Amino acid sequence: MGRTARLVLTLPAYAVVAAVASVVSLSVFVLSLQVTLVMDLIVGGSLPLASRLRVLVELYPFVGTSFTPAQGLLLVAVALLTGIDIALAAYHFREHGLDLQQGGAGAAGLLLGTLGAGCAACGSAVLLALLSLLGVSTSLLFLPLDGLEFAVGALVVLTLSIYWLAEGMRGGEINGCPVDFS
């Protein structure tokens, strides 16, 4: 799995896809937590551009104080795995001439991983809102990791998706090198 990802990411086009997808997914995860702040202060605010950009940058993990180190690390890991997953899926679909029906496992893993990462970014708020309809919303307060379970779940789903994509490319050629997993 790691060898396949490394070989695909040595191709410059797919490395760029992975980097852009990682940055975009991290931005979506981070900005989705602060929609009101982004819309009112950064997009429609009267602050100078430099101040708006500073506020925007401060929203990201390890730059500002919005996330604990564990939350920041998990969020960045999910974003990186999302980028790798998208690059592998793009390679697999493009180079092997697959459609969505043939590569359904990789596409499903990518979709589930992206949804799981979105839930990781907003913690237990999404699940809390859904389960409150059933009357079990307070039980989520007793989660041992305070909602980081969703990020761990997203990491598992994304890792499985990458594994499925790597398995689907078994025996193919990546960057001119035959991939041998034996």
Side-chain angles (χ1 to χ4, degrees), residues 66-88:
S66 297
F67 299 100
T68 66
Q71 290 171 333
L73 183 64
L74 282 172
L75 196 57
V76 169
V78 168
L80 289 174
L81 284 179
T82 300
I84 292 169
D85 199 20
I86 289 172
L88 283 175

Side-chain angles (χ1 to χ4, degrees), residues 45-85:
S46 62
L47 291 174
L49 181 61
S51 297
R52 287 193 230 177
L53 290 176
R54 184 172 179 200
V55 169
L56 180 65
V57 169
E58 293 278 333
L59 294 175
Y60 285 86
F62 305 115
V63 178
T65 59
S66 297
F67 299 100
T68 66
Q71 290 171 333
L73 183 64
L74 282 172
L75 196 57
V76 169
V78 168
L80 289 174
L81 284 179
T82 300
I84 292 169
D85 199 20

